[in-house]
Amino acid sequence: MCDPVRKKEKFLIFGSPEIGEEEIGEVVSTLRSGWIGTGPKVAAFEEMFRVYCGSDHAIALNSCTAALHLSLLALKLEPGSEVITTPLTFCATINAIIHAGLVPVLADVDYSTMNIDPEQIEAKITPKTRAIIPVHFAGRPCQMDLIMELAEKHNLYVVEDCAHAVESRYKGKKTGTFGRFGCFSFYVTKNMTTGEGGMVLAQKGEDAAWIKMLALHGMSADAWKRFGDEGYKHYYVVESGFKYNMMDIQASIGIHQMNRLEKNWKRRKEIWDQYNNAFSEIEVIVPEKPAKDTRHGYHLYTILIDRDKCGVCRDEFIKRMTYHNIGVGVHYLSLPEHPFYQRQFGWNPQDYPNASIIGRQTISLPLSAKLTDRDVLDVIKGVKYSIGA
Ligand SMILES: *Cc1c(COP(=O)(O)O)cnc(C)c1O
């Protein structure tokens, strides 16, 4: 099975981003401009992103983690309030809740969609619950009509974690525009990247202004202008804020990534369909079909390796893929598997059976617009070899 002749010559890096000459040129021109910090390019990027999403306000930050943290702070909840989210997410979702002085509560996912199950959310609502953070897993939109209904009924805020969902839509409406806030990531492996970076969409002007201020040390509005061509301006610290602003160097990349967003989305969809076809006759479980009247973001192509059916366990499968020089990811070992959360909250994987099974069976295959046709065929071959088909 591990025939060295047939393995890919060069290691295929998982989630390697597609960076064009436009990004490179823009970064160079920003570097030469004398203004590399938060400035006009960030403002232009925010405006592009805002228009693309059809939102009233967009604030660029240095990560999605920062976006989640500031969104939760902007809700001004009583410390110790409970926030319900999914066990099948990146640790940053939970850490942001903790850093905002709030208590994370998990509601299990649906096994086939891998998204938080609205029925499980309702079961976890207590008198202390104040917010829900749905994560649009892999780019598949959560059932936002049911989630918004629950939020209304129980008077809860919704903050959407859209780290996988830049291009996703639910019933015609952009993900990130349902909740009070929508938080996006431009980390290297995401659908679009600025190296590191994030964005928060806000529905209200006062929320947007509050977040902008908190993101830059808690200094009074537009502090970034203080060294601009209108001459030095005094600033006043009005809150103890954070250092979460995006730089023009990052926005220079983001502007051109946005220009290629739809083209890259189409390419990923093409690869997605190719994977679906190729894996239809083998025993791996492929992603659930996108739901009607939604647009999938095609961020992650995840397969499930059930040892009983595939004759190989997930971790052995990963080893074999690595041997074939194909980089893969795991999204995610469910959060209750991690010692810190077990210690801190007493979480146990058995209490979230769907998320824990997924976490133990799942593998994400390369799905970047950068993949060549040859790369895609090599990934398919690697999967077939690795399960011994
Ligand atoms: C990547 C990711 C984040 C964190 O994004 P950063 O920009 O790296 O802070 C948060 N939530 C989910 C679901 C993610 O995948």
Side-chain angles (χ1 to χ4, degrees):
M1 171 184 306
C2 296
D3 177 359
V5 181
R6 300 165 99 169
K7 81 187 221 189
K8 194 165 174 58
E9 319 78 69
K10 201 166 157 259
F11 191 76
L12 183 66
I13 297 170
F14 178 86
S16 180
E18 202 215 17
I19 302 290
E21 286 308 314
E22 296 87 348
E23 283 91 324
I24 293 168
E26 193 79 41
V27 167
V28 170
S29 102
T30 300
L31 288 172
R32 293 208 162 107
S33 74
W35 192 296
I36 63 174
T38 306
K41 301 247 165 116
V42 167
F45 179 43
E46 286 173 336
E47 181 59 13
M48 277 177 94
F49 198 84
R50 187 191 71 72
V51 169
Y52 176 80
C53 293
S55 172
D56 287 336
H57 306 278
I59 307 104
L61 300 171
N62 62 8
S63 72
C64 179
T65 308
L68 289 164
H69 185 199
L70 295 188
S71 295
L72 290 168
L73 288 178
L75 299 178
K76 300 178 184 166
L77 302 174
E78 220 178 293
S81 299
E82 293 174 359
V83 179
I84 298 177
T85 192
T86 164
L88 196 69
T89 182
F90 187 52
C91 58
T93 316
I94 299 294
N95 291 343
I97 296 171
I98 297 170
H99 294 320
L102 307 171
V103 177
V105 171
L106 302 179
D108 203 3
V109 297
D110 179 277
Y111 181 72
S112 53
T113 67
M114 305 190 181
N115 271 333
I116 195 165
D117 178 347
E119 271 181 34
Q120 295 291 324
I121 297 178
E122 189 152 33
K124 292 302 184 86
I125 294 173
T126 74
K128 284 180 154 181
T129 309
R130 292 290 176 274
I132 307 169
I133 307 184
V135 177
H136 305 291
F137 183 83
R140 182 191 181 96
C142 292
Q143 291 174 280
M144 290 314 293
D145 47 5
L146 295 181
I147 291 174
M148 296 313 291
E149 216 173 89
L150 272 180
E152 200 153 312
K153 183 170 152 201
H154 297 274
N155 205 13
L156 308 174
Y157 293 110
V158 173
V159 174
E160 296 173 73
D161 182 333
C162 302
H164 301 178
V166 176
E167 305 93 335
S168 308
R169 290 178 166 269
Y170 181 82
K171 301 193 174 169
K173 197 167 144 77
K174 193 62 207 66
T175 49
T177 62
F178 289 85
R180 178 89 169 224
F181 299 103
C183 302
F184 295 81
S185 174
F186 310 130
Y187 176 65
V188 281
T189 59
K190 301 291 157 79
N191 289 357
M192 57 174 281
T193 186
T194 59
E196 296 282 359
M199 188 79 74
V200 52
L201 299 181
Q203 297 189 343
K204 299 187 175 206
E206 73 236 42
D207 284 344
W210 174 262
I211 284 181
K212 210 161 200 170
M213 176 272 295
L214 275 188
L216 200 59
H217 308 292
M219 300 192 298
S220 49
D222 278 345
W224 68 268
K225 285 184 180 163
R226 70 193 188 279
F227 300 115
D229 55 11
E230 288 163 36
Y232 184 84
K233 291 213 177 72
H234 284 296
Y235 62 86
Y236 295 93
V237 176
V238 291
E239 286 291 331
S240 83
F242 301 86
K243 179 61 180 165
Y244 282 169
N245 55 306
M246 179 182 274
M247 300 189 287
D248 272 17
I249 299 177
Q250 293 163 294
S252 303
I253 305 172
I255 286 167
H256 294 284
Q257 290 273 300
M258 283 231 66
N259 287 334
R260 236 183 283 112
L261 201 58
E262 290 299 310
K263 191 174 142 247
N264 286 352
W265 178 86
K266 281 200 193 85
R267 173 64 183 146
R268 291 198 310 275
K269 177 173 179 357
E270 217 172 78
I271 299 169
W272 180 286
D273 292 339
Q274 237 175 307
Y275 284 162
N276 274 348
N277 277 334
F279 302 143
S280 61
E281 77 270 26
I282 61 173
E283 290 295 336
V284 303
I285 298 168
V286 300
E288 181 78 358
K289 264 206 235 98
K292 240 182 73 203
D293 207 8
T294 66
R295 187 185 206 222
H296 201 295
Y298 301 118
H299 172 55
L300 297 173
Y301 188 92
T302 61
I303 55 176
L304 297 178
I305 306 294
D306 179 343
R307 184 188 205 144
D308 295 339
K309 285 192 196 140
C310 301
V312 58
C313 70
R314 192 269 309 275
D315 289 350
E316 174 60 25
F317 185 94
I318 292 179
K319 273 194 208 143
R320 294 183 185 178
M321 290 296 278
T322 311
Y323 176 82
H324 284 286
N325 270 341
I326 311 283
V328 295
V330 171
H331 303 87
Y332 301 92
L333 212 53
S334 77
L335 290 169
E337 303 266 11
H338 296 286
F340 173 79
Y341 305 120
Q342 291 174 353
R343 231 171 37 235
Q344 191 75 11
F345 304 114
W347 289 347
N348 181 341
Q350 287 162 8
D351 297 332
Y352 311 91
N354 292 337
S356 45
I357 293 173
I358 293 167
R360 291 168 188 183
Q361 296 186 338
T362 191
I363 296 201
S364 305
L365 301 179
L367 185 67
S368 157
K370 195 178 160 183
L371 298 185
T372 63
D373 292 340
R374 178 62 207 269
D375 290 336
V376 175
L377 293 177
D378 285 341
V379 173
I380 291 170
K381 254 203 260 175
V383 169
K384 289 185 173 175
Y385 285 139
S386 299
I387 75 157

mmCIF file with all atom_site columns, all heavy atoms in Angstrom, residues 63-66 68 89-90 92-93 135 161 163-164 184-187 190 196-197 332, ligand 1:
data_model
loop_
_atom_site.group_PDB
_atom_site.id
_atom_site.type_symbol
_atom_site.label_atom_id
_atom_site.label_alt_id
_atom_site.label_comp_id
_atom_site.label_asym_id
_atom_site.label_entity_id
_atom_site.label_seq_id
_atom_site.pdbx_PDB_ins_code
_atom_site.Cartn_x
_atom_site.Cartn_y
_atom_site.Cartn_z
_atom_site.occupancy
_atom_site.B_iso_or_equiv
_atom_site.pdbx_formal_charge
_atom_site.auth_seq_id
_atom_site.auth_comp_id
_atom_site.auth_asym_id
_atom_site.auth_atom_id
_atom_site.pdbx_PDB_model_num
ATOM   1   N N   . SER A 1 63  ? -7.552  39.903 14.687 1.00 0.00 ? 63  SER A N   1
ATOM   2   C CA  . SER A 1 63  ? -7.930  38.486 14.662 1.00 0.00 ? 63  SER A CA  1
ATOM   3   C C   . SER A 1 63  ? -9.430  38.337 14.880 1.00 0.00 ? 63  SER A C   1
ATOM   4   O O   . SER A 1 63  ? -10.105 39.284 15.311 1.00 0.00 ? 63  SER A O   1
ATOM   5   C CB  . SER A 1 63  ? -7.184  37.688 15.744 1.00 0.00 ? 63  SER A CB  1
ATOM   6   O OG  . SER A 1 63  ? -7.685  38.012 17.024 1.00 0.00 ? 63  SER A OG  1
ATOM   7   N N   . CYS A 1 64  ? -9.912  37.139 14.622 1.00 0.00 ? 64  CYS A N   1
ATOM   8   C CA  . CYS A 1 64  ? -11.304 36.820 14.925 1.00 0.00 ? 64  CYS A CA  1
ATOM   9   C C   . CYS A 1 64  ? -11.467 36.632 16.433 1.00 0.00 ? 64  CYS A C   1
ATOM   10  O O   . CYS A 1 64  ? -12.511 36.916 16.994 1.00 0.00 ? 64  CYS A O   1
ATOM   11  C CB  . CYS A 1 64  ? -11.697 35.549 14.174 1.00 0.00 ? 64  CYS A CB  1
ATOM   12  S SG  . CYS A 1 64  ? -13.381 34.996 14.459 1.00 0.00 ? 64  CYS A SG  1
ATOM   13  N N   . THR A 1 65  ? -10.410 36.164 17.077 1.00 0.00 ? 65  THR A N   1
ATOM   14  C CA  . THR A 1 65  ? -10.449 36.022 18.532 1.00 0.00 ? 65  THR A CA  1
ATOM   15  C C   . THR A 1 65  ? -10.710 37.381 19.171 1.00 0.00 ? 65  THR A C   1
ATOM   16  O O   . THR A 1 65  ? -11.546 37.509 20.076 1.00 0.00 ? 65  THR A O   1
ATOM   17  C CB  . THR A 1 65  ? -9.100  35.450 19.044 1.00 0.00 ? 65  THR A CB  1
ATOM   18  O OG1 . THR A 1 65  ? -8.804  34.273 18.297 1.00 0.00 ? 65  THR A OG1 1
ATOM   19  C CG2 . THR A 1 65  ? -9.156  35.125 20.507 1.00 0.00 ? 65  THR A CG2 1
ATOM   20  N N   . ALA A 1 66  ? -10.024 38.414 18.671 1.00 0.00 ? 66  ALA A N   1
ATOM   21  C CA  . ALA A 1 66  ? -10.242 39.779 19.161 1.00 0.00 ? 66  ALA A CA  1
ATOM   22  C C   . ALA A 1 66  ? -11.665 40.223 18.853 1.00 0.00 ? 66  ALA A C   1
ATOM   23  O O   . ALA A 1 66  ? -12.319 40.879 19.682 1.00 0.00 ? 66  ALA A O   1
ATOM   24  C CB  . ALA A 1 66  ? -9.238  40.733 18.508 1.00 0.00 ? 66  ALA A CB  1
ATOM   25  N N   . LEU A 1 68  ? -14.356 38.351 18.573 1.00 0.00 ? 68  LEU A N   1
ATOM   26  C CA  . LEU A 1 68  ? -15.270 37.677 19.500 1.00 0.00 ? 68  LEU A CA  1
ATOM   27  C C   . LEU A 1 68  ? -15.185 38.294 20.893 1.00 0.00 ? 68  LEU A C   1
ATOM   28  O O   . LEU A 1 68  ? -16.200 38.557 21.542 1.00 0.00 ? 68  LEU A O   1
ATOM   29  C CB  . LEU A 1 68  ? -14.923 36.183 19.570 1.00 0.00 ? 68  LEU A CB  1
ATOM   30  C CG  . LEU A 1 68  ? -15.263 35.342 18.333 1.00 0.00 ? 68  LEU A CG  1
ATOM   31  C CD1 . LEU A 1 68  ? -14.529 34.001 18.374 1.00 0.00 ? 68  LEU A CD1 1
ATOM   32  C CD2 . LEU A 1 68  ? -16.772 35.114 18.221 1.00 0.00 ? 68  LEU A CD2 1
ATOM   33  N N   . THR A 1 89  ? -15.665 23.437 17.822 1.00 0.00 ? 89  THR A N   1
ATOM   34  C CA  . THR A 1 89  ? -15.149 24.717 17.323 1.00 0.00 ? 89  THR A CA  1
ATOM   35  C C   . THR A 1 89  ? -13.697 24.847 17.749 1.00 0.00 ? 89  THR A C   1
ATOM   36  O O   . THR A 1 89  ? -13.192 24.040 18.530 1.00 0.00 ? 89  THR A O   1
ATOM   37  C CB  . THR A 1 89  ? -15.978 25.902 17.844 1.00 0.00 ? 89  THR A CB  1
ATOM   38  O OG1 . THR A 1 89  ? -15.477 27.135 17.300 1.00 0.00 ? 89  THR A OG1 1
ATOM   39  C CG2 . THR A 1 89  ? -15.938 26.005 19.367 1.00 0.00 ? 89  THR A CG2 1
ATOM   40  N N   . PHE A 1 90  ? -13.075 25.890 17.241 1.00 0.00 ? 90  PHE A N   1
ATOM   41  C CA  . PHE A 1 90  ? -11.707 26.184 17.661 1.00 0.00 ? 90  PHE A CA  1
ATOM   42  C C   . PHE A 1 90  ? -11.742 26.745 19.083 1.00 0.00 ? 90  PHE A C   1
ATOM   43  O O   . PHE A 1 90  ? -12.702 27.414 19.475 1.00 0.00 ? 90  PHE A O   1
ATOM   44  C CB  . PHE A 1 90  ? -11.107 27.209 16.690 1.00 0.00 ? 90  PHE A CB  1
ATOM   45  C CG  . PHE A 1 90  ? -9.653  27.457 16.909 1.00 0.00 ? 90  PHE A CG  1
ATOM   46  C CD1 . PHE A 1 90  ? -8.749  26.413 16.960 1.00 0.00 ? 90  PHE A CD1 1
ATOM   47  C CD2 . PHE A 1 90  ? -9.173  28.746 17.072 1.00 0.00 ? 90  PHE A CD2 1
ATOM   48  C CE1 . PHE A 1 90  ? -7.400  26.636 17.162 1.00 0.00 ? 90  PHE A CE1 1
ATOM   49  C CE2 . PHE A 1 90  ? -7.821  28.987 17.275 1.00 0.00 ? 90  PHE A CE2 1
ATOM   50  C CZ  . PHE A 1 90  ? -6.932  27.927 17.320 1.00 0.00 ? 90  PHE A CZ  1
ATOM   51  N N   . ALA A 1 92  ? -10.571 29.206 20.391 1.00 0.00 ? 92  ALA A N   1
ATOM   52  C CA  . ALA A 1 92  ? -10.685 30.662 20.520 1.00 0.00 ? 92  ALA A CA  1
ATOM   53  C C   . ALA A 1 92  ? -12.115 31.096 20.848 1.00 0.00 ? 92  ALA A C   1
ATOM   54  O O   . ALA A 1 92  ? -12.318 32.093 21.557 1.00 0.00 ? 92  ALA A O   1
ATOM   55  C CB  . ALA A 1 92  ? -10.225 31.343 19.227 1.00 0.00 ? 92  ALA A CB  1
ATOM   56  N N   . THR A 1 93  ? -13.096 30.358 20.351 1.00 0.00 ? 93  THR A N   1
ATOM   57  C CA  . THR A 1 93  ? -14.494 30.712 20.614 1.00 0.00 ? 93  THR A CA  1
ATOM   58  C C   . THR A 1 93  ? -14.743 30.692 22.128 1.00 0.00 ? 93  THR A C   1
ATOM   59  O O   . THR A 1 93  ? -15.343 31.607 22.692 1.00 0.00 ? 93  THR A O   1
ATOM   60  C CB  . THR A 1 93  ? -15.451 29.718 19.913 1.00 0.00 ? 93  THR A CB  1
ATOM   61  O OG1 . THR A 1 93  ? -14.993 29.477 18.583 1.00 0.00 ? 93  THR A OG1 1
ATOM   62  C CG2 . THR A 1 93  ? -16.866 30.249 19.879 1.00 0.00 ? 93  THR A CG2 1
ATOM   63  N N   . VAL A 1 135 ? -21.519 28.766 15.458 1.00 0.00 ? 135 VAL A N   1
ATOM   64  C CA  . VAL A 1 135 ? -20.338 28.724 14.587 1.00 0.00 ? 135 VAL A CA  1
ATOM   65  C C   . VAL A 1 135 ? -20.782 28.059 13.286 1.00 0.00 ? 135 VAL A C   1
ATOM   66  O O   . VAL A 1 135 ? -21.289 26.933 13.320 1.00 0.00 ? 135 VAL A O   1
ATOM   67  C CB  . VAL A 1 135 ? -19.202 27.889 15.229 1.00 0.00 ? 135 VAL A CB  1
ATOM   68  C CG1 . VAL A 1 135 ? -18.006 27.784 14.302 1.00 0.00 ? 135 VAL A CG1 1
ATOM   69  C CG2 . VAL A 1 135 ? -18.799 28.474 16.583 1.00 0.00 ? 135 VAL A CG2 1
ATOM   70  N N   . ASP A 1 161 ? -19.993 33.352 15.042 1.00 0.00 ? 161 ASP A N   1
ATOM   71  C CA  . ASP A 1 161 ? -18.596 33.059 14.719 1.00 0.00 ? 161 ASP A CA  1
ATOM   72  C C   . ASP A 1 161 ? -18.565 32.629 13.248 1.00 0.00 ? 161 ASP A C   1
ATOM   73  O O   . ASP A 1 161 ? -18.961 31.507 12.910 1.00 0.00 ? 161 ASP A O   1
ATOM   74  C CB  . ASP A 1 161 ? -18.064 31.952 15.642 1.00 0.00 ? 161 ASP A CB  1
ATOM   75  C CG  . ASP A 1 161 ? -16.586 31.641 15.389 1.00 0.00 ? 161 ASP A CG  1
ATOM   76  O OD1 . ASP A 1 161 ? -16.114 31.857 14.247 1.00 0.00 ? 161 ASP A OD1 1
ATOM   77  O OD2 . ASP A 1 161 ? -15.915 31.160 16.327 1.00 0.00 ? 161 ASP A OD2 1
ATOM   78  N N   . ALA A 1 163 ? -15.839 32.521 11.294 1.00 0.00 ? 163 ALA A N   1
ATOM   79  C CA  . ALA A 1 163 ? -14.450 32.293 10.899 1.00 0.00 ? 163 ALA A CA  1
ATOM   80  C C   . ALA A 1 163 ? -14.348 31.412 9.651  1.00 0.00 ? 163 ALA A C   1
ATOM   81  O O   . ALA A 1 163 ? -13.378 31.495 8.907  1.00 0.00 ? 163 ALA A O   1
ATOM   82  C CB  . ALA A 1 163 ? -13.667 31.668 12.054 1.00 0.00 ? 163 ALA A CB  1
ATOM   83  N N   . HIS A 1 164 ? -15.372 30.557 9.427  1.00 0.00 ? 164 HIS A N   1
ATOM   84  C CA  . HIS A 1 164 ? -15.346 29.673 8.249  1.00 0.00 ? 164 HIS A CA  1
ATOM   85  C C   . HIS A 1 164 ? -16.274 30.185 7.149  1.00 0.00 ? 164 HIS A C   1
ATOM   86  O O   . HIS A 1 164 ? -16.438 29.507 6.143  1.00 0.00 ? 164 HIS A O   1
ATOM   87  C CB  . HIS A 1 164 ? -15.833 28.262 8.623  1.00 0.00 ? 164 HIS A CB  1
ATOM   88  C CG  . HIS A 1 164 ? -15.025 27.595 9.696  1.00 0.00 ? 164 HIS A CG  1
ATOM   89  N ND1 . HIS A 1 164 ? -15.325 26.352 10.188 1.00 0.00 ? 164 HIS A ND1 1
ATOM   90  C CD2 . HIS A 1 164 ? -13.920 27.995 10.369 1.00 0.00 ? 164 HIS A CD2 1
ATOM   91  C CE1 . HIS A 1 164 ? -14.456 26.002 11.120 1.00 0.00 ? 164 HIS A CE1 1
ATOM   92  N NE2 . HIS A 1 164 ? -13.592 26.991 11.264 1.00 0.00 ? 164 HIS A NE2 1
ATOM   93  N N   . PHE A 1 184 ? -15.327 37.487 11.899 1.00 0.00 ? 184 PHE A N   1
ATOM   94  C CA  . PHE A 1 184 ? -14.653 36.806 10.784 1.00 0.00 ? 184 PHE A CA  1
ATOM   95  C C   . PHE A 1 184 ? -13.156 36.692 11.048 1.00 0.00 ? 184 PHE A C   1
ATOM   96  O O   . PHE A 1 184 ? -12.581 37.526 11.733 1.00 0.00 ? 184 PHE A O   1
ATOM   97  C CB  . PHE A 1 184 ? -14.877 37.590 9.487  1.00 0.00 ? 184 PHE A CB  1
ATOM   98  C CG  . PHE A 1 184 ? -16.313 37.629 9.052  1.00 0.00 ? 184 PHE A CG  1
ATOM   99  C CD1 . PHE A 1 184 ? -17.212 38.533 9.625  1.00 0.00 ? 184 PHE A CD1 1
ATOM   100 C CD2 . PHE A 1 184 ? -16.785 36.740 8.097  1.00 0.00 ? 184 PHE A CD2 1
ATOM   101 C CE1 . PHE A 1 184 ? -18.550 38.552 9.236  1.00 0.00 ? 184 PHE A CE1 1
ATOM   102 C CE2 . PHE A 1 184 ? -18.111 36.752 7.702  1.00 0.00 ? 184 PHE A CE2 1
ATOM   103 C CZ  . PHE A 1 184 ? -18.997 37.665 8.277  1.00 0.00 ? 184 PHE A CZ  1
ATOM   104 N N   . SER A 1 185 ? -12.545 35.673 10.436 1.00 0.00 ? 185 SER A N   1
ATOM   105 C CA  . SER A 1 185 ? -11.106 35.456 10.590 1.00 0.00 ? 185 SER A CA  1
ATOM   106 C C   . SER A 1 185 ? -10.398 35.512 9.241  1.00 0.00 ? 185 SER A C   1
ATOM   107 O O   . SER A 1 185 ? -10.889 34.951 8.262  1.00 0.00 ? 185 SER A O   1
ATOM   108 C CB  . SER A 1 185 ? -10.842 34.079 11.209 1.00 0.00 ? 185 SER A CB  1
ATOM   109 O OG  . SER A 1 185 ? -9.443  33.815 11.220 1.00 0.00 ? 185 SER A OG  1
ATOM   110 N N   . PHE A 1 186 ? -9.258  36.150 9.232  1.00 0.00 ? 186 PHE A N   1
ATOM   111 C CA  . PHE A 1 186 ? -8.402  36.163 8.043  1.00 0.00 ? 186 PHE A CA  1
ATOM   112 C C   . PHE A 1 186 ? -7.048  35.523 8.355  1.00 0.00 ? 186 PHE A C   1
ATOM   113 O O   . PHE A 1 186 ? -6.008  35.919 7.844  1.00 0.00 ? 186 PHE A O   1
ATOM   114 C CB  . PHE A 1 186 ? -8.216  37.600 7.521  1.00 0.00 ? 186 PHE A CB  1
ATOM   115 C CG  . PHE A 1 186 ? -9.505  38.355 7.362  1.00 0.00 ? 186 PHE A CG  1
ATOM   116 C CD1 . PHE A 1 186 ? -9.663  39.625 7.898  1.00 0.00 ? 186 PHE A CD1 1
ATOM   117 C CD2 . PHE A 1 186 ? -10.576 37.779 6.681  1.00 0.00 ? 186 PHE A CD2 1
ATOM   118 C CE1 . PHE A 1 186 ? -10.860 40.324 7.769  1.00 0.00 ? 186 PHE A CE1 1
ATOM   119 C CE2 . PHE A 1 186 ? -11.780 38.460 6.545  1.00 0.00 ? 186 PHE A CE2 1
ATOM   120 C CZ  . PHE A 1 186 ? -11.917 39.738 7.098  1.00 0.00 ? 186 PHE A CZ  1
ATOM   121 N N   . TYR A 1 187 ? -7.099  34.538 9.227  1.00 0.00 ? 187 TYR A N   1
ATOM   122 C CA  . TYR A 1 187 ? -5.927  33.714 9.533  1.00 0.00 ? 187 TYR A CA  1
ATOM   123 C C   . TYR A 1 187 ? -5.496  32.986 8.251  1.00 0.00 ? 187 TYR A C   1
ATOM   124 O O   . TYR A 1 187 ? -6.295  32.801 7.341  1.00 0.00 ? 187 TYR A O   1
ATOM   125 C CB  . TYR A 1 187 ? -6.317  32.723 10.639 1.00 0.00 ? 187 TYR A CB  1
ATOM   126 C CG  . TYR A 1 187 ? -5.234  31.746 11.006 1.00 0.00 ? 187 TYR A CG  1
ATOM   127 C CD1 . TYR A 1 187 ? -4.055  32.198 11.593 1.00 0.00 ? 187 TYR A CD1 1
ATOM   128 C CD2 . TYR A 1 187 ? -5.379  30.385 10.773 1.00 0.00 ? 187 TYR A CD2 1
ATOM   129 C CE1 . TYR A 1 187 ? -3.048  31.306 11.920 1.00 0.00 ? 187 TYR A CE1 1
ATOM   130 C CE2 . TYR A 1 187 ? -4.377  29.491 11.101 1.00 0.00 ? 187 TYR A CE2 1
ATOM   131 C CZ  . TYR A 1 187 ? -3.213  29.962 11.674 1.00 0.00 ? 187 TYR A CZ  1
ATOM   132 O OH  . TYR A 1 187 ? -2.222  29.080 11.997 1.00 0.00 ? 187 TYR A OH  1
ATOM   133 N N   . LYS A 1 190 ? -7.716  30.357 6.377  1.00 0.00 ? 190 LYS A N   1
ATOM   134 C CA  . LYS A 1 190 ? -9.146  30.644 6.174  1.00 0.00 ? 190 LYS A CA  1
ATOM   135 C C   . LYS A 1 190 ? -9.449  30.961 4.707  1.00 0.00 ? 190 LYS A C   1
ATOM   136 O O   . LYS A 1 190 ? -8.549  31.075 3.882  1.00 0.00 ? 190 LYS A O   1
ATOM   137 C CB  . LYS A 1 190 ? -9.588  31.776 7.101  1.00 0.00 ? 190 LYS A CB  1
ATOM   138 C CG  . LYS A 1 190 ? -9.371  31.467 8.582  1.00 0.00 ? 190 LYS A CG  1
ATOM   139 C CD  . LYS A 1 190 ? -10.308 30.359 9.099  1.00 0.00 ? 190 LYS A CD  1
ATOM   140 C CE  . LYS A 1 190 ? -9.785  29.647 10.327 1.00 0.00 ? 190 LYS A CE  1
ATOM   141 N NZ  . LYS A 1 190 ? -9.945  30.339 11.580 1.00 0.00 ? 190 LYS A NZ  1
ATOM   142 N N   . GLU A 1 196 ? -2.544  37.511 9.589  1.00 0.00 ? 196 GLU A N   1
ATOM   143 C CA  . GLU A 1 196 ? -3.416  37.451 10.752 1.00 0.00 ? 196 GLU A CA  1
ATOM   144 C C   . GLU A 1 196 ? -4.420  38.569 10.540 1.00 0.00 ? 196 GLU A C   1
ATOM   145 O O   . GLU A 1 196 ? -4.080  39.600 9.965  1.00 0.00 ? 196 GLU A O   1
ATOM   146 C CB  . GLU A 1 196 ? -2.655  37.717 12.063 1.00 0.00 ? 196 GLU A CB  1
ATOM   147 C CG  . GLU A 1 196 ? -1.591  36.699 12.422 1.00 0.00 ? 196 GLU A CG  1
ATOM   148 C CD  . GLU A 1 196 ? -2.154  35.410 13.025 1.00 0.00 ? 196 GLU A CD  1
ATOM   149 O OE1 . GLU A 1 196 ? -3.379  35.287 13.188 1.00 0.00 ? 196 GLU A OE1 1
ATOM   150 O OE2 . GLU A 1 196 ? -1.327  34.521 13.293 1.00 0.00 ? 196 GLU A OE2 1
ATOM   151 N N   . GLY A 1 197 ? -5.640  38.395 11.021 1.00 0.00 ? 197 GLY A N   1
ATOM   152 C CA  . GLY A 1 197 ? -6.606  39.476 10.880 1.00 0.00 ? 197 GLY A CA  1
ATOM   153 C C   . GLY A 1 197 ? -8.008  39.013 11.166 1.00 0.00 ? 197 GLY A C   1
ATOM   154 O O   . GLY A 1 197 ? -8.282  37.806 11.197 1.00 0.00 ? 197 GLY A O   1
ATOM   155 N N   . TYR A 1 332 ? -12.738 19.417 14.632 1.00 0.00 ? 332 TYR A N   1
ATOM   156 C CA  . TYR A 1 332 ? -11.788 19.624 15.712 1.00 0.00 ? 332 TYR A CA  1
ATOM   157 C C   . TYR A 1 332 ? -11.907 18.458 16.660 1.00 0.00 ? 332 TYR A C   1
ATOM   158 O O   . TYR A 1 332 ? -12.984 17.873 16.749 1.00 0.00 ? 332 TYR A O   1
ATOM   159 C CB  . TYR A 1 332 ? -12.118 20.914 16.508 1.00 0.00 ? 332 TYR A CB  1
ATOM   160 C CG  . TYR A 1 332 ? -12.104 22.170 15.676 1.00 0.00 ? 332 TYR A CG  1
ATOM   161 C CD1 . TYR A 1 332 ? -13.259 22.624 15.085 1.00 0.00 ? 332 TYR A CD1 1
ATOM   162 C CD2 . TYR A 1 332 ? -10.916 22.870 15.477 1.00 0.00 ? 332 TYR A CD2 1
ATOM   163 C CE1 . TYR A 1 332 ? -13.241 23.784 14.306 1.00 0.00 ? 332 TYR A CE1 1
ATOM   164 C CE2 . TYR A 1 332 ? -10.908 24.033 14.712 1.00 0.00 ? 332 TYR A CE2 1
ATOM   165 C CZ  . TYR A 1 332 ? -12.070 24.482 14.114 1.00 0.00 ? 332 TYR A CZ  1
ATOM   166 O OH  . TYR A 1 332 ? -12.063 25.620 13.349 1.00 0.00 ? 332 TYR A OH  1
HETATM 167 C C1  . LIG B 2 .   ? -9.826  30.381 13.148 1.00 0.00 ? 1   LIG B C1  1
HETATM 168 C C2  . LIG B 2 .   ? -11.001 30.410 14.055 1.00 0.00 ? 1   LIG B C2  1
HETATM 169 C C3  . LIG B 2 .   ? -11.128 31.366 15.065 1.00 0.00 ? 1   LIG B C3  1
HETATM 170 C C4  . LIG B 2 .   ? -10.026 32.299 15.434 1.00 0.00 ? 1   LIG B C4  1
HETATM 171 O O1  . LIG B 2 .   ? -9.627  33.113 14.398 1.00 0.00 ? 1   LIG B O1  1
HETATM 172 P P1  . LIG B 2 .   ? -8.277  33.977 14.554 1.00 0.00 ? 1   LIG B P1  1
HETATM 173 O O2  . LIG B 2 .   ? -8.415  34.977 13.461 1.00 0.00 ? 1   LIG B O2  1
HETATM 174 O O3  . LIG B 2 .   ? -7.142  33.038 14.362 1.00 0.00 ? 1   LIG B O3  1
HETATM 175 O O4  . LIG B 2 .   ? -8.304  34.592 15.890 1.00 0.00 ? 1   LIG B O4  1
HETATM 176 C C5  . LIG B 2 .   ? -12.299 31.385 15.805 1.00 0.00 ? 1   LIG B C5  1
HETATM 177 N N1  . LIG B 2 .   ? -13.289 30.521 15.572 1.00 0.00 ? 1   LIG B N1  1
HETATM 178 C C6  . LIG B 2 .   ? -13.195 29.568 14.622 1.00 0.00 ? 1   LIG B C6  1
HETATM 179 C C7  . LIG B 2 .   ? -14.347 28.642 14.398 1.00 0.00 ? 1   LIG B C7  1
HETATM 180 C C8  . LIG B 2 .   ? -12.034 29.478 13.841 1.00 0.00 ? 1   LIG B C8  1
HETATM 181 O O5  . LIG B 2 .   ? -11.934 28.517 12.931 1.00 0.00 ? 1   LIG B O5  1
#
